[in-house]
PDB file of all heavy atoms in Angstrom:
ATOM      1  N   THR U  31      11.976  -4.813  29.158  1.00 89.00           N
ATOM      2  CA  THR U  31      11.524  -5.895  28.187  1.00 89.00           C
ATOM      3  C   THR U  31      10.311  -5.377  27.383  1.00 89.00           C
ATOM      4  O   THR U  31       9.356  -4.891  27.968  1.00 89.00           O
ATOM      5  CB  THR U  31      11.211  -7.163  28.944  1.00 89.00           C
ATOM      6  OG1 THR U  31      12.352  -7.629  29.666  1.00 89.00           O
ATOM      7  CG2 THR U  31      10.780  -8.247  27.920  1.00 89.00           C
ATOM      8  N   TYR U  35       2.646  -7.754  19.904  1.00 95.00           N
ATOM      9  CA  TYR U  35       1.534  -8.667  19.590  1.00 95.00           C
ATOM     10  C   TYR U  35       0.713  -8.131  18.467  1.00 95.00           C
ATOM     11  O   TYR U  35       0.642  -6.900  18.254  1.00 95.00           O
ATOM     12  CB  TYR U  35       0.586  -8.751  20.856  1.00 95.00           C
ATOM     13  CG  TYR U  35       1.218  -9.379  22.067  1.00 95.00           C
ATOM     14  CD1 TYR U  35       2.016  -8.626  22.907  1.00 95.00           C
ATOM     15  CD2 TYR U  35       0.971 -10.735  22.393  1.00 95.00           C
ATOM     16  CE1 TYR U  35       2.604  -9.195  24.035  1.00 95.00           C
ATOM     17  CE2 TYR U  35       1.539 -11.310  23.519  1.00 95.00           C
ATOM     18  CZ  TYR U  35       2.368 -10.526  24.301  1.00 95.00           C
ATOM     19  OH  TYR U  35       2.912 -11.122  25.459  1.00 95.00           O
ATOM     20  N   GLN U  37      -3.144  -8.294  16.834  1.00 95.00           N
ATOM     21  CA  GLN U  37      -4.495  -8.698  17.186  1.00 95.00           C
ATOM     22  C   GLN U  37      -5.406  -8.423  15.992  1.00 95.00           C
ATOM     23  O   GLN U  37      -5.718  -7.244  15.700  1.00 95.00           O
ATOM     24  CB  GLN U  37      -5.012  -7.947  18.413  1.00 95.00           C
ATOM     25  CG  GLN U  37      -6.398  -8.378  18.871  1.00 95.00           C
ATOM     26  CD  GLN U  37      -6.806  -7.767  20.191  1.00 95.00           C
ATOM     27  OE1 GLN U  37      -6.373  -6.706  20.551  1.00 95.00           O
ATOM     28  NE2 GLN U  37      -7.644  -8.501  20.931  1.00 95.00           N
ATOM     29  N   GLY U  40     -11.622  -9.338  16.344  1.00 88.00           N
ATOM     30  CA  GLY U  40     -12.393 -10.393  16.935  1.00 88.00           C
ATOM     31  C   GLY U  40     -11.591 -11.506  17.490  1.00 88.00           C
ATOM     32  O   GLY U  40     -12.154 -12.546  17.956  1.00 88.00           O
ATOM     33  N   GLY U  42      -7.969 -12.812  19.927  1.00 91.00           N
ATOM     34  CA  GLY U  42      -7.083 -12.423  20.988  1.00 91.00           C
ATOM     35  C   GLY U  42      -5.690 -12.076  20.438  1.00 91.00           C
ATOM     36  O   GLY U  42      -5.367 -12.452  19.300  1.00 91.00           O
ATOM     37  N   PRO U  43      -4.924 -11.312  21.127  1.00 92.00           N
ATOM     38  CA  PRO U  43      -3.582 -10.927  20.682  1.00 92.00           C
ATOM     39  C   PRO U  43      -2.671 -12.128  20.460  1.00 92.00           C
ATOM     40  O   PRO U  43      -2.800 -13.109  21.217  1.00 92.00           O
ATOM     41  CB  PRO U  43      -3.046 -10.036  21.809  1.00 92.00           C
ATOM     42  CG  PRO U  43      -4.275  -9.554  22.552  1.00 92.00           C
ATOM     43  CD  PRO U  43      -5.252 -10.691  22.464  1.00 92.00           C
ATOM     44  N   PHE U  45       1.282 -13.399  20.019  1.00 92.00           N
ATOM     45  CA  PHE U  45       2.668 -12.963  20.312  1.00 92.00           C
ATOM     46  C   PHE U  45       3.508 -13.031  19.079  1.00 92.00           C
ATOM     47  O   PHE U  45       3.562 -14.016  18.335  1.00 92.00           O
ATOM     48  CB  PHE U  45       3.214 -13.915  21.338  1.00 92.00           C
ATOM     49  CG  PHE U  45       4.664 -13.708  21.694  1.00 92.00           C
ATOM     50  CD1 PHE U  45       5.041 -12.671  22.557  1.00 92.00           C
ATOM     51  CD2 PHE U  45       5.637 -14.547  21.235  1.00 92.00           C
ATOM     52  CE1 PHE U  45       6.363 -12.453  22.913  1.00 92.00           C
ATOM     53  CE2 PHE U  45       6.988 -14.335  21.593  1.00 92.00           C
ATOM     54  CZ  PHE U  45       7.321 -13.320  22.445  1.00 92.00           C
ATOM     55  N   GLN U  48       9.731 -10.777  21.389  1.00 92.00           N
ATOM     56  CA  GLN U  48      10.068 -10.082  22.634  1.00 92.00           C
ATOM     57  C   GLN U  48      11.508  -9.665  22.570  1.00 92.00           C
ATOM     58  O   GLN U  48      12.391 -10.416  22.124  1.00 92.00           O
ATOM     59  CB  GLN U  48       9.848 -10.969  23.844  1.00 92.00           C
ATOM     60  CG  GLN U  48      10.125 -10.346  25.197  1.00 92.00           C
ATOM     61  CD  GLN U  48       9.910 -11.358  26.305  1.00 92.00           C
ATOM     62  OE1 GLN U  48      10.829 -12.108  26.654  1.00 92.00           O
ATOM     63  NE2 GLN U  48       8.690 -11.401  26.811  1.00 92.00           N
ATOM     64  N   ARG U  55      14.556 -12.176  22.167  1.00 88.00           N
ATOM     65  CA  ARG U  55      14.709 -13.224  23.100  1.00 88.00           C
ATOM     66  C   ARG U  55      13.786 -14.379  22.805  1.00 88.00           C
ATOM     67  O   ARG U  55      14.080 -15.567  22.998  1.00 88.00           O
ATOM     68  CB  ARG U  55      14.522 -12.749  24.529  1.00 88.00           C
ATOM     69  CG  ARG U  55      14.710 -13.828  25.593  1.00 88.00           C
ATOM     70  CD  ARG U  55      14.897 -13.229  26.938  1.00 88.00           C
ATOM     71  NE  ARG U  55      13.726 -12.455  27.389  1.00 88.00           N
ATOM     72  CZ  ARG U  55      13.684 -11.820  28.526  1.00 88.00           C
ATOM     73  NH1 ARG U  55      14.800 -11.787  29.353  1.00 88.00           N
ATOM     74  NH2 ARG U  55      12.674 -11.127  28.926  1.00 88.00           N
ATOM     75  N   GLN U  56      12.569 -14.049  22.355  1.00 86.00           N
ATOM     76  CA  GLN U  56      11.563 -15.097  22.045  1.00 86.00           C
ATOM     77  C   GLN U  56      10.881 -14.664  20.774  1.00 86.00           C
ATOM     78  O   GLN U  56      10.737 -13.473  20.489  1.00 86.00           O
ATOM     79  CB  GLN U  56      10.548 -15.253  23.155  1.00 86.00           C
ATOM     80  CG  GLN U  56      11.075 -15.672  24.461  1.00 86.00           C
ATOM     81  CD  GLN U  56       9.975 -15.949  25.447  1.00 86.00           C
ATOM     82  OE1 GLN U  56       9.273 -16.987  25.374  1.00 86.00           O
ATOM     83  NE2 GLN U  56       9.727 -15.047  26.360  1.00 86.00           N
ATOM     84  N   LEU U  90      -0.038  -4.325  19.180  1.00 97.00           N
ATOM     85  CA  LEU U  90       0.133  -3.948  20.553  1.00 97.00           C
ATOM     86  C   LEU U  90       1.551  -4.162  20.992  1.00 97.00           C
ATOM     87  O   LEU U  90       2.210  -5.140  20.670  1.00 97.00           O
ATOM     88  CB  LEU U  90      -0.794  -4.769  21.403  1.00 97.00           C
ATOM     89  CG  LEU U  90      -2.266  -4.649  21.165  1.00 97.00           C
ATOM     90  CD1 LEU U  90      -3.076  -5.825  21.710  1.00 97.00           C
ATOM     91  CD2 LEU U  90      -2.777  -3.346  21.769  1.00 97.00           C
ATOM     92  N   SER U  94       7.477  -4.960  30.285  1.00 85.00           N
ATOM     93  CA  SER U  94       7.534  -5.637  31.602  1.00 85.00           C
ATOM     94  C   SER U  94       8.931  -5.499  32.152  1.00 85.00           C
ATOM     95  O   SER U  94       9.875  -5.086  31.413  1.00 85.00           O
ATOM     96  CB  SER U  94       7.188  -7.116  31.423  1.00 85.00           C
ATOM     97  OG  SER U  94       8.004  -7.714  30.438  1.00 85.00           O
ATOM     98  N   GLY U  95       9.093  -5.842  33.397  1.00 76.00           N
ATOM     99  CA  GLY U  95      10.396  -5.772  34.031  1.00 76.00           C
ATOM    100  C   GLY U  95      10.530  -6.763  35.133  1.00 76.00           C
ATOM    101  O   GLY U  95      10.063  -7.864  35.045  1.00 76.00           O
ATOM    102  N   THR U 102       3.374  -9.272  41.698  1.00 59.00           N
ATOM    103  CA  THR U 102       2.879  -9.963  40.524  1.00 59.00           C
ATOM    104  C   THR U 102       3.760  -9.681  39.328  1.00 59.00           C
ATOM    105  O   THR U 102       4.510  -8.693  39.301  1.00 59.00           O
ATOM    106  CB  THR U 102       1.443  -9.526  40.161  1.00 59.00           C
ATOM    107  OG1 THR U 102       1.449  -8.141  39.795  1.00 59.00           O
ATOM    108  CG2 THR U 102       0.500  -9.779  41.317  1.00 59.00           C
ATOM    109  N   TYR U 103       3.683 -10.523  38.307  1.00 64.00           N
ATOM    110  CA  TYR U 103       4.428 -10.300  37.083  1.00 64.00           C
ATOM    111  C   TYR U 103       3.448  -9.724  36.088  1.00 64.00           C
ATOM    112  O   TYR U 103       2.788 -10.442  35.334  1.00 64.00           O
ATOM    113  CB  TYR U 103       4.981 -11.634  36.560  1.00 64.00           C
ATOM    114  CG  TYR U 103       5.987 -12.231  37.510  1.00 64.00           C
ATOM    115  CD1 TYR U 103       5.647 -13.326  38.325  1.00 64.00           C
ATOM    116  CD2 TYR U 103       7.288 -11.822  37.509  1.00 64.00           C
ATOM    117  CE1 TYR U 103       6.545 -13.868  39.173  1.00 64.00           C
ATOM    118  CE2 TYR U 103       8.226 -12.397  38.374  1.00 64.00           C
ATOM    119  CZ  TYR U 103       7.830 -13.398  39.215  1.00 64.00           C
ATOM    120  OH  TYR U 103       8.767 -13.967  40.048  1.00 64.00           O
ATOM    121  N   GLU U 104       3.358  -8.416  36.055  1.00 74.00           N
ATOM    122  CA  GLU U 104       2.366  -7.755  35.265  1.00 74.00           C
ATOM    123  C   GLU U 104       2.950  -7.238  33.957  1.00 74.00           C
ATOM    124  O   GLU U 104       4.119  -6.731  33.968  1.00 74.00           O
ATOM    125  CB  GLU U 104       1.730  -6.588  36.006  1.00 74.00           C
ATOM    126  CG  GLU U 104       0.666  -5.872  35.233  1.00 74.00           C
ATOM    127  CD  GLU U 104      -0.042  -4.845  36.051  1.00 74.00           C
ATOM    128  OE1 GLU U 104       0.093  -4.838  37.327  1.00 74.00           O
ATOM    129  OE2 GLU U 104      -0.757  -3.957  35.491  1.00 74.00           O
ATOM    130  N   GLN U 105       2.279  -7.444  32.862  1.00 82.00           N
ATOM    131  CA  GLN U 105       2.708  -6.917  31.582  1.00 82.00           C
ATOM    132  C   GLN U 105       1.746  -5.766  31.202  1.00 82.00           C
ATOM    133  O   GLN U 105       0.564  -5.917  31.190  1.00 82.00           O
ATOM    134  CB  GLN U 105       2.674  -8.014  30.527  1.00 82.00           C
ATOM    135  CG  GLN U 105       3.399  -7.675  29.267  1.00 82.00           C
ATOM    136  CD  GLN U 105       3.828  -8.931  28.508  1.00 82.00           C
ATOM    137  OE1 GLN U 105       3.503  -9.058  27.328  1.00 82.00           O
ATOM    138  NE2 GLN U 105       4.508  -9.809  29.120  1.00 82.00           N
ATOM    139  N   PHE U 107       0.264  -3.067  28.644  1.00 92.00           N
ATOM    140  CA  PHE U 107       0.069  -2.875  27.198  1.00 92.00           C
ATOM    141  C   PHE U 107      -0.136  -1.403  26.873  1.00 92.00           C
ATOM    142  O   PHE U 107      -0.742  -0.663  27.632  1.00 92.00           O
ATOM    143  CB  PHE U 107      -1.154  -3.667  26.742  1.00 92.00           C
ATOM    144  CG  PHE U 107      -0.905  -5.140  26.592  1.00 92.00           C
ATOM    145  CD1 PHE U 107      -0.903  -5.981  27.685  1.00 92.00           C
ATOM    146  CD2 PHE U 107      -0.615  -5.665  25.331  1.00 92.00           C
ATOM    147  CE1 PHE U 107      -0.686  -7.335  27.550  1.00 92.00           C
ATOM    148  CE2 PHE U 107      -0.374  -7.049  25.181  1.00 92.00           C
ATOM    149  CZ  PHE U 107      -0.404  -7.860  26.321  1.00 92.00           C
ATOM    150  N   GLY U 108       0.314  -1.043  25.640  1.00 95.00           N
ATOM    151  CA  GLY U 108       0.036   0.256  25.107  1.00 95.00           C
ATOM    152  C   GLY U 108      -1.296   0.260  24.413  1.00 95.00           C
ATOM    153  O   GLY U 108      -1.978  -0.783  24.371  1.00 95.00           O
TER     154      GLY U 108
ATOM    155  N   TYR M  32       1.477 -19.474  36.637  1.00 87.00           N
ATOM    156  CA  TYR M  32       0.576 -18.556  37.318  1.00 87.00           C
ATOM    157  C   TYR M  32      -0.689 -18.404  36.454  1.00 87.00           C
ATOM    158  O   TYR M  32      -0.694 -18.721  35.287  1.00 87.00           O
ATOM    159  CB  TYR M  32       1.235 -17.168  37.453  1.00 87.00           C
ATOM    160  CG  TYR M  32       2.279 -17.108  38.555  1.00 87.00           C
ATOM    161  CD1 TYR M  32       3.533 -17.653  38.396  1.00 87.00           C
ATOM    162  CD2 TYR M  32       1.939 -16.488  39.763  1.00 87.00           C
ATOM    163  CE1 TYR M  32       4.476 -17.583  39.439  1.00 87.00           C
ATOM    164  CE2 TYR M  32       2.875 -16.364  40.796  1.00 87.00           C
ATOM    165  CZ  TYR M  32       4.134 -16.946  40.590  1.00 87.00           C
ATOM    166  OH  TYR M  32       5.053 -16.880  41.624  1.00 87.00           O
ATOM    167  N   TYR M  36      -6.806 -10.700  32.101  1.00 94.00           N
ATOM    168  CA  TYR M  36      -6.711  -9.394  31.436  1.00 94.00           C
ATOM    169  C   TYR M  36      -8.059  -8.974  31.013  1.00 94.00           C
ATOM    170  O   TYR M  36      -8.939  -9.790  30.666  1.00 94.00           O
ATOM    171  CB  TYR M  36      -5.748  -9.401  30.267  1.00 94.00           C
ATOM    172  CG  TYR M  36      -4.306  -9.260  30.666  1.00 94.00           C
ATOM    173  CD1 TYR M  36      -3.572 -10.381  31.045  1.00 94.00           C
ATOM    174  CD2 TYR M  36      -3.638  -8.029  30.609  1.00 94.00           C
ATOM    175  CE1 TYR M  36      -2.210 -10.259  31.416  1.00 94.00           C
ATOM    176  CE2 TYR M  36      -2.299  -7.898  30.902  1.00 94.00           C
ATOM    177  CZ  TYR M  36      -1.592  -8.997  31.319  1.00 94.00           C
ATOM    178  OH  TYR M  36      -0.275  -8.924  31.650  1.00 94.00           O
ATOM    179  N   GLN M  38     -10.016  -6.260  28.190  1.00 96.00           N
ATOM    180  CA  GLN M  38      -9.748  -5.422  26.988  1.00 96.00           C
ATOM    181  C   GLN M  38     -11.002  -4.810  26.468  1.00 96.00           C
ATOM    182  O   GLN M  38     -11.982  -5.476  26.216  1.00 96.00           O
ATOM    183  CB  GLN M  38      -9.100  -6.267  25.907  1.00 96.00           C
ATOM    184  CG  GLN M  38      -8.649  -5.415  24.704  1.00 96.00           C
ATOM    185  CD  GLN M  38      -7.977  -6.177  23.628  1.00 96.00           C
ATOM    186  OE1 GLN M  38      -8.164  -7.391  23.434  1.00 96.00           O
ATOM    187  NE2 GLN M  38      -7.076  -5.534  22.888  1.00 96.00           N
ATOM    188  N   SER M  41     -10.477  -1.558  20.689  1.00 82.00           N
ATOM    189  CA  SER M  41      -9.409  -0.707  20.201  1.00 82.00           C
ATOM    190  C   SER M  41      -8.478  -0.142  21.312  1.00 82.00           C
ATOM    191  O   SER M  41      -7.876   0.919  21.197  1.00 82.00           O
ATOM    192  CB  SER M  41      -9.971   0.515  19.469  1.00 82.00           C
ATOM    193  OG  SER M  41     -10.698   0.064  18.341  1.00 82.00           O
ATOM    194  N   GLN M  42      -8.358  -0.944  22.354  1.00 90.00           N
ATOM    195  CA  GLN M  42      -7.412  -0.599  23.425  1.00 90.00           C
ATOM    196  C   GLN M  42      -6.554  -1.836  23.758  1.00 90.00           C
ATOM    197  O   GLN M  42      -6.964  -2.956  23.415  1.00 90.00           O
ATOM    198  CB  GLN M  42      -8.119  -0.182  24.689  1.00 90.00           C
ATOM    199  CG  GLN M  42      -8.859   1.157  24.564  1.00 90.00           C
ATOM    200  CD  GLN M  42      -9.403   1.619  25.938  1.00 90.00           C
ATOM    201  OE1 GLN M  42      -8.883   1.279  26.988  1.00 90.00           O
ATOM    202  NE2 GLN M  42     -10.448   2.385  25.879  1.00 90.00           N
ATOM    203  N   GLY M  43      -5.420  -1.644  24.401  1.00 93.00           N
ATOM    204  CA  GLY M  43      -4.628  -2.783  24.809  1.00 93.00           C
ATOM    205  C   GLY M  43      -5.248  -3.459  25.991  1.00 93.00           C
ATOM    206  O   GLY M  43      -5.931  -2.860  26.811  1.00 93.00           O
ATOM    207  N   PRO M  44      -4.902  -4.762  26.196  1.00 93.00           N
ATOM    208  CA  PRO M  44      -5.399  -5.480  27.381  1.00 93.00           C
ATOM    209  C   PRO M  44      -4.877  -4.818  28.663  1.00 93.00           C
ATOM    210  O   PRO M  44      -3.785  -4.305  28.656  1.00 93.00           O
ATOM    211  CB  PRO M  44      -4.841  -6.851  27.160  1.00 93.00           C
ATOM    212  CG  PRO M  44      -4.614  -7.027  25.683  1.00 93.00           C
ATOM    213  CD  PRO M  44      -4.179  -5.618  25.262  1.00 93.00           C
ATOM    214  N   PHE M  46      -4.236  -5.542  32.773  1.00 89.00           N
ATOM    215  CA  PHE M  46      -4.082  -6.514  33.798  1.00 89.00           C
ATOM    216  C   PHE M  46      -5.203  -6.348  34.909  1.00 89.00           C
ATOM    217  O   PHE M  46      -5.481  -5.197  35.336  1.00 89.00           O
ATOM    218  CB  PHE M  46      -2.718  -6.335  34.484  1.00 89.00           C
ATOM    219  CG  PHE M  46      -2.451  -7.189  35.682  1.00 89.00           C
ATOM    220  CD1 PHE M  46      -1.865  -8.462  35.538  1.00 89.00           C
ATOM    221  CD2 PHE M  46      -2.790  -6.777  36.932  1.00 89.00           C
ATOM    222  CE1 PHE M  46      -1.566  -9.242  36.614  1.00 89.00           C
ATOM    223  CE2 PHE M  46      -2.505  -7.517  38.055  1.00 89.00           C
ATOM    224  CZ  PHE M  46      -1.896  -8.771  37.916  1.00 89.00           C
ATOM    225  N   GLN M  49      -3.843 -11.593  39.257  1.00 90.00           N
ATOM    226  CA  GLN M  49      -2.985 -12.714  39.065  1.00 90.00           C
ATOM    227  C   GLN M  49      -2.885 -13.519  40.328  1.00 90.00           C
ATOM    228  O   GLN M  49      -2.874 -12.958  41.442  1.00 90.00           O
ATOM    229  CB  GLN M  49      -1.581 -12.299  38.623  1.00 90.00           C
ATOM    230  CG  GLN M  49      -0.639 -13.409  38.313  1.00 90.00           C
ATOM    231  CD  GLN M  49       0.766 -12.888  37.901  1.00 90.00           C
ATOM    232  OE1 GLN M  49       1.605 -12.583  38.745  1.00 90.00           O
ATOM    233  NE2 GLN M  49       0.970 -12.815  36.611  1.00 90.00           N
ATOM    234  N   TYR M  87      -9.778 -12.137  29.292  1.00 95.00           N
ATOM    235  CA  TYR M  87      -8.850 -13.216  28.908  1.00 95.00           C
ATOM    236  C   TYR M  87      -8.236 -13.878  30.121  1.00 95.00           C
ATOM    237  O   TYR M  87      -7.761 -13.209  31.045  1.00 95.00           O
ATOM    238  CB  TYR M  87      -7.722 -12.659  28.055  1.00 95.00           C
ATOM    239  CG  TYR M  87      -8.116 -12.132  26.731  1.00 95.00           C
ATOM    240  CD1 TYR M  87      -8.260 -10.736  26.579  1.00 95.00           C
ATOM    241  CD2 TYR M  87      -8.324 -12.896  25.605  1.00 95.00           C
ATOM    242  CE1 TYR M  87      -8.598 -10.155  25.316  1.00 95.00           C
ATOM    243  CE2 TYR M  87      -8.638 -12.339  24.354  1.00 95.00           C
ATOM    244  CZ  TYR M  87      -8.827 -10.986  24.247  1.00 95.00           C
ATOM    245  OH  TYR M  87      -9.166 -10.460  23.063  1.00 95.00           O
ATOM    246  N   PHE M  93       5.533 -16.997  34.517  1.00 61.00           N
ATOM    247  CA  PHE M  93       5.887 -15.590  34.469  1.00 61.00           C
ATOM    248  C   PHE M  93       7.123 -15.362  35.386  1.00 61.00           C
ATOM    249  O   PHE M  93       6.984 -15.266  36.568  1.00 61.00           O
ATOM    250  CB  PHE M  93       4.716 -14.721  34.912  1.00 61.00           C
ATOM    251  CG  PHE M  93       3.501 -14.913  34.090  1.00 61.00           C
ATOM    252  CD1 PHE M  93       2.430 -15.616  34.558  1.00 61.00           C
ATOM    253  CD2 PHE M  93       3.430 -14.404  32.789  1.00 61.00           C
ATOM    254  CE1 PHE M  93       1.307 -15.780  33.776  1.00 61.00           C
ATOM    255  CE2 PHE M  93       2.326 -14.570  32.021  1.00 61.00           C
ATOM    256  CZ  PHE M  93       1.237 -15.260  32.511  1.00 61.00           C
ATOM    257  N   GLY M  95      10.216 -12.935  35.811  1.00 48.00           N
ATOM    258  CA  GLY M  95      10.899 -11.737  35.445  1.00 48.00           C
ATOM    259  C   GLY M  95      10.435 -11.253  34.118  1.00 48.00           C
ATOM    260  O   GLY M  95       9.271 -11.007  33.870  1.00 48.00           O
ATOM    261  N   GLY M  96      11.323 -11.074  33.145  1.00 47.00           N
ATOM    262  CA  GLY M  96      10.902 -10.529  31.870  1.00 47.00           C
ATOM    263  C   GLY M  96      10.442 -11.590  30.873  1.00 47.00           C
ATOM    264  O   GLY M  96      10.013 -11.246  29.775  1.00 47.00           O
ATOM    265  N   TYR M  97      10.476 -12.869  31.226  1.00 57.00           N
ATOM    266  CA  TYR M  97      10.050 -13.892  30.309  1.00 57.00           C
ATOM    267  C   TYR M  97       8.547 -14.059  30.286  1.00 57.00           C
ATOM    268  O   TYR M  97       8.032 -15.148  30.557  1.00 57.00           O
ATOM    269  CB  TYR M  97      10.714 -15.215  30.649  1.00 57.00           C
ATOM    270  CG  TYR M  97      12.175 -15.255  30.281  1.00 57.00           C
ATOM    271  CD1 TYR M  97      13.175 -14.883  31.228  1.00 57.00           C
ATOM    272  CD2 TYR M  97      12.592 -15.706  29.013  1.00 57.00           C
ATOM    273  CE1 TYR M  97      14.471 -14.884  30.855  1.00 57.00           C
ATOM    274  CE2 TYR M  97      13.923 -15.736  28.679  1.00 57.00           C
ATOM    275  CZ  TYR M  97      14.882 -15.380  29.618  1.00 57.00           C
ATOM    276  OH  TYR M  97      16.204 -15.411  29.276  1.00 57.00           O
ATOM    277  N   ASN M  98       7.847 -12.945  30.006  1.00 64.00           N
ATOM    278  CA  ASN M  98       6.349 -13.088  30.051  1.00 64.00           C
ATOM    279  C   ASN M  98       5.828 -13.142  28.657  1.00 64.00           C
ATOM    280  O   ASN M  98       5.317 -12.157  28.100  1.00 64.00           O
ATOM    281  CB  ASN M  98       5.708 -11.899  30.751  1.00 64.00           C
ATOM    282  CG  ASN M  98       6.625 -11.177  31.651  1.00 64.00           C
ATOM    283  OD1 ASN M  98       7.821 -10.986  31.320  1.00 64.00           O
ATOM    284  ND2 ASN M  98       6.156 -10.701  32.729  1.00 64.00           N
ATOM    285  N   LYS M  99       5.917 -14.261  28.015  1.00 71.00           N
ATOM    286  CA  LYS M  99       5.285 -14.517  26.710  1.00 71.00           C
ATOM    287  C   LYS M  99       3.861 -14.917  26.972  1.00 71.00           C
ATOM    288  O   LYS M  99       3.597 -15.990  27.497  1.00 71.00           O
ATOM    289  CB  LYS M  99       6.058 -15.655  25.987  1.00 71.00           C
ATOM    290  CG  LYS M  99       5.404 -16.080  24.707  1.00 71.00           C
ATOM    291  CD  LYS M  99       6.186 -17.226  24.090  1.00 71.00           C
ATOM    292  CE  LYS M  99       5.489 -17.804  22.863  1.00 71.00           C
ATOM    293  NZ  LYS M  99       6.252 -18.960  22.300  1.00 71.00           N
ATOM    294  N   LEU M 100       2.947 -14.048  26.646  1.00 79.00           N
ATOM    295  CA  LEU M 100       1.566 -14.299  26.938  1.00 79.00           C
ATOM    296  C   LEU M 100       0.842 -14.919  25.771  1.00 79.00           C
ATOM    297  O   LEU M 100       0.944 -14.500  24.591  1.00 79.00           O
ATOM    298  CB  LEU M 100       0.845 -12.933  27.295  1.00 79.00           C
ATOM    299  CG  LEU M 100       1.439 -12.209  28.460  1.00 79.00           C
ATOM    300  CD1 LEU M 100       0.673 -10.939  28.711  1.00 79.00           C
ATOM    301  CD2 LEU M 100       1.475 -13.040  29.711  1.00 79.00           C
ATOM    302  N   PHE M 102      -2.776 -15.669  24.452  1.00 85.00           N
ATOM    303  CA  PHE M 102      -4.166 -15.311  24.617  1.00 85.00           C
ATOM    304  C   PHE M 102      -5.059 -16.289  23.793  1.00 85.00           C
ATOM    305  O   PHE M 102      -4.706 -16.658  22.705  1.00 85.00           O
ATOM    306  CB  PHE M 102      -4.438 -13.917  24.083  1.00 85.00           C
ATOM    307  CG  PHE M 102      -3.887 -12.794  24.909  1.00 85.00           C
ATOM    308  CD1 PHE M 102      -2.528 -12.407  24.797  1.00 85.00           C
ATOM    309  CD2 PHE M 102      -4.685 -12.139  25.849  1.00 85.00           C
ATOM    310  CE1 PHE M 102      -2.037 -11.361  25.552  1.00 85.00           C
ATOM    311  CE2 PHE M 102      -4.167 -11.073  26.637  1.00 85.00           C
ATOM    312  CZ  PHE M 102      -2.833 -10.737  26.467  1.00 85.00           C
ATOM    313  N   GLY M 103      -6.141 -16.649  24.426  1.00 84.00           N
ATOM    314  CA  GLY M 103      -7.189 -17.369  23.700  1.00 84.00           C
ATOM    315  C   GLY M 103      -8.171 -16.350  23.102  1.00 84.00           C
ATOM    316  O   GLY M 103      -7.812 -15.191  22.928  1.00 84.00           O
ATOM    317  N   ARG M 107     -16.477 -12.606  26.025  1.00 97.00           N
ATOM    318  CA  ARG M 107     -17.089 -11.289  25.828  1.00 97.00           C
ATOM    319  C   ARG M 107     -18.227 -11.101  26.850  1.00 97.00           C
ATOM    320  O   ARG M 107     -19.243 -11.772  26.733  1.00 97.00           O
ATOM    321  CB  ARG M 107     -17.612 -11.163  24.418  1.00 97.00           C
ATOM    322  CG  ARG M 107     -16.514 -11.209  23.389  1.00 97.00           C
ATOM    323  CD  ARG M 107     -17.031 -11.012  21.955  1.00 97.00           C
ATOM    324  NE  ARG M 107     -15.911 -11.068  21.039  1.00 97.00           N
ATOM    325  CZ  ARG M 107     -15.136 -10.028  20.772  1.00 97.00           C
ATOM    326  NH1 ARG M 107     -15.418  -8.827  21.303  1.00 97.00           N
ATOM    327  NH2 ARG M 107     -14.110 -10.093  19.917  1.00 97.00           N
TER     328      ARG M 107
END
Side-chain angles (χ1 to χ4, degrees):
Chain U
T31 301
Y35 295 81
Q37 185 173 27
F45 177 78
Q48 181 183 89
R55 182 163 63 184
Q56 298 186 77
L90 297 161
S94 55
T102 63
Y103 297 101
E104 182 174 345
Q105 194 157 125
F107 283 81
Chain M
Y32 284 77
Y36 279 82
Q38 186 177 27
S41 297
Q42 293 186 28
F46 174 93
Q49 183 181 82
Y87 296 98
F93 300 106
Y97 286 90
N98 341 38
K99 173 183 175 181
L100 302 180
F102 289 83
R107 294 183 178 278

